Amino acid sequence: MPTLVMKFGGTSVANLDRIARAAKRVAVEVANGYDVIVIVSAMSGKTNELVGWVNDTSQFYDAREYDAIVSSGENVTAGLMALRLQEMDIPARSWQGWQVPVMTTSTHSSARIEDIPTENINAKFGEGMKVAVVAGFQGLSPEGRITTLGRGGSDTTAVAFAAAFGAERCDIYTDVDGVYTTDPRIANKARKLDKIAFEEMLELASLGAKVLQTRSVELAMRYKVRLRVLSSFEEPSDSAGTLVCDEEEIMESNVVVSVAYSRDEAKMTLISVADRPGIAAAIFGPLSDAGVNVDMIVQNISEEGRTDMTFSCPTDQVKRAEKAMQAAKDSGEINYHDLVADEGVAKVSVVGIGMRSHTGVAATMFRVLSAEGVNIKVITTSEIKISVLIDRKYMELAVQALHDAFELEKAG
Ligand code: ADP
Ligand code: ASP
Ligand code: MG
């Protein structure tokens, strides 16, 4: 039997009615002749609530307990989905991550999948089971502890299962009907893309577009998984969603394909550090060891052998970063006058493979932001993206102005 992976995100399993609606979609694919692996997220809001409980209990928590707690939302939806399918006379059962087992690294709260043995589930398909419902987001460490794959990690569970089982396709059902030229929630002119290249999707995901977790796109690219994003709220024939595919499969596209944003960024500046060989390693080594995801880095002009070093990281890692820097200062590895955290910034980025061969995108971006009176605090670029850090209060304005300026509402 051909296999299909169908992943339902939090809003698609937010209550019993939604689970029933999702189960009907699964039934359609079973009737089409597929063995289906369903990956479910927790009900929307559940994981946030669990994370909140952890933070309210312990500031520098034991990440193994964090994972034990925050992974639990998926257990409920997996069981409910299996029950709902059984009520529809479809042979189904649920699996928690450790039962498969989804083997991961022991990097708690952001573990990576290492192996998904297929024997257990395939044996059940062989016995006539039609749907395996798997709790997304969860794994098992070599030490036998529960791990999680990072926020949004059910997307990665889905793609990893599609790769392991050689699925014909991996369909990601969510609350929008595909990948758009920007988040349709903040720009009403956003246009749905029929196709997007893996590399563009990878950049968009890593720059904050929540619609797919970055790691899921990486895996899809590596294992050539046919990945589709579509809505669980529309009737099956209404929309084909967006296909994430090789760039060769896309005939025409704009130079800039999409505008992404990340709201929860912090700009951290170490004031007056010694400008000497090895200083960057002495700063960013401890930050990395502390699990801080540093993104943009700027070393300012040096005066009398001292300089300011600026970097950005997610706002919820500011405390961790401060603690790591204080420890490095106390141990004498680095010396700085002050660490200033600006938690009121956001990152806005434009992405497109066409930027490889077209000049002028950066100039247009800076002109547009300046015309809107938006001050740029930090800039970074790669071959196919330009990102700026700006005051958070201008974020939506900047996204809309850039969407207009690059005429993304029009197909390329
Ligand atoms: P799920 O719970 O189904 O995993 P997410 O909230 O993680 O859903 O991701 C879907 C959301 O991603 C959408 O509701 C939308 O607001 C957001 N999003 C951000 N950028 C984009 C984009 N370019 N295209 C589509 N959705 C986007
Ligand atoms: N429930 C987890 C989260 O909210 C995983 C997911 O939904 O993908 O991050
Ligand atoms: Mg998600």
Side-chain angles (χ1 to χ4, degrees):
M1 285 280 187
T3 309
L4 195 67
V5 171
M6 304 172 75
K7 180 255 173 177
F8 294 93
T11 44
S12 308
V13 292
N15 54 45
L16 298 184
D17 284 345
R18 299 255 175 99
I19 291 175
R21 184 191 271 252
K24 278 193 194 149
R25 291 222 161 216
V26 176
V28 170
E29 300 295 4
V30 171
N32 285 340
Y34 288 105
D35 279 347
V36 182
I37 300 175
V38 171
I39 310 292
V40 286
S41 288
M43 291 181 178
S44 60
K46 190 70 210 172
T47 311
N48 284 344
E49 180 183 47
L50 296 167
V51 170
W53 289 346
V54 171
N55 286 323
D56 290 346
T57 306
S58 166
Q59 193 182 22
F60 298 108
Y61 47 75
D62 175 346
R64 292 165 299 189
E65 300 308 341
Y66 168 97
D67 279 350
I69 297 158
V70 306
S71 62
S72 64
E74 273 72 7
N75 295 343
V76 176
T77 45
L80 287 170
M81 176 66 83
L83 277 186
R84 171 47 57 196
L85 290 162
Q86 289 172 5
E87 288 296 312
M88 298 161 74
D89 291 326
I90 296 174
R93 71 153 273 195
S94 69
W95 265 273
Q96 296 182 8
W98 66 271
Q99 294 172 307
V100 176
V102 177
M103 295 307 302
T104 71
T105 58
S106 40
T107 332
H108 284 277
S109 82
S110 56
R112 288 165 87 91
I113 297 177
E114 303 250 278
D115 186 34
I116 299 180
T118 53
E119 296 79 26
N120 286 340
I121 290 179
N122 274 337
K124 286 288 170 192
F125 279 136
E127 290 168 18
M129 179 190 68
K130 297 308 297 172
V131 184
V133 185
V134 178
F137 186 45
Q138 313 177 342
L140 184 67
S141 74
E143 294 78 27
R145 302 291 302 256
I146 305 295
T147 55
T148 62
L149 308 179
R151 297 306 306 271
S154 298
D155 298 328
T156 300
T157 308
V159 175
F161 270 80
F165 283 82
E168 206 171 284
R169 229 178 33 240
C170 179
D171 286 344
I172 305 284
Y173 286 89
T174 183
D175 55 359
V176 285
D177 61 351
V179 179
Y180 277 70
T181 49
T182 192
D183 186 348
R185 289 183 202 294
I186 76 165
N188 54 17
K189 287 194 204 156
R191 175 174 56 88
K192 183 176 82 75
L193 300 162
D194 292 332
K195 292 181 177 178
I196 186 165
F198 281 122
E199 283 189 57
E200 289 168 334
M201 192 62 239
L202 193 60
E203 284 284 8
L204 284 181
S206 72
L207 294 168
K210 276 202 313 172
V211 62
L212 287 173
Q213 197 199 33
T214 310
R215 181 86 182 123
S216 72
V217 187
E218 261 170 39
L219 285 182
M221 206 165 157
R222 164 131 42 105
Y223 294 103
K224 301 245 166 281
V225 172
R226 271 191 104 66
L227 182 60
R228 209 162 59 135
V229 177
L230 62 175
S231 163
S232 65
F233 300 116
E234 288 178 8
E235 289 312 313
S237 58
D238 282 2
S239 159
T242 300
L243 183 70
V244 188
C245 59
D246 284 328
E247 61 184 282
E248 290 75 32
E249 281 189 57
I250 302 174
M251 301 293 281
E252 288 289 336
S253 71
N254 292 327
V255 175
V256 170
V257 158
S258 192
V259 183
Y261 64 86
S262 166
R263 193 183 298 271
D264 300 311
E265 299 285 325
K267 174 174 168 258
M268 312 283 287
T269 304
L270 282 161
I271 311 275
S272 187
V273 290
D275 188 8
R276 58 164 171 84
I279 187 65
I283 293 170
F284 296 107
L287 287 171
S288 154
D289 294 344
V292 177
N293 296 313
V294 171
D295 178 24
M296 303 163 128
I297 299 175
V298 183
Q299 181 174 343
N300 298 304
I301 209 153
S302 176
E303 222 174 283
E304 290 167 14
R306 303 205 67 88
T307 183
D308 294 346
M309 188 79 88
T310 298
F311 61 91
S312 70
C313 69
T315 40
D316 61 2
Q317 294 179 0
V318 166
K319 293 269 175 303
R320 238 168 240 270
E322 286 171 345
K323 194 178 172 205
M325 290 296 88
Q326 189 60 49
K329 191 178 187 182
D330 292 345
S331 71
E333 279 172 70
I334 56 172
N335 189 351
Y336 57 87
H337 173 62
D338 201 5
L339 175 55
V340 181
D342 176 357
E343 297 193 43
V345 295
K347 182 171 60 181
V348 174
S349 313
V350 297
V351 172
I353 279 177
M355 285 163 65
R356 283 191 197 129
S357 49
H358 283 74
T359 54
V361 174
T364 305
M365 181 174 193
F366 303 153
R367 193 171 344 102
V368 169
L369 294 175
S370 129
E372 297 291 340
V374 178
N375 185 32
I376 300 171
K377 294 171 177 250
V378 183
I379 303 169
T380 51
T381 64
S382 80
E383 213 186 9
I384 66 163
K385 71 119 202 260
I386 303 167
S387 299
V388 294
L389 213 57
I390 59 174
D391 273 335
R392 189 173 303 135
K393 61 176 186 263
Y394 297 126
M395 188 190 80
E396 301 196 358
L397 170 74
V399 170
Q400 283 157 6
L402 291 168
H403 196 274
D404 285 348
F406 289 106
E407 301 190 321
L408 300 192
E409 71 283 2
K410 296 185 198 152

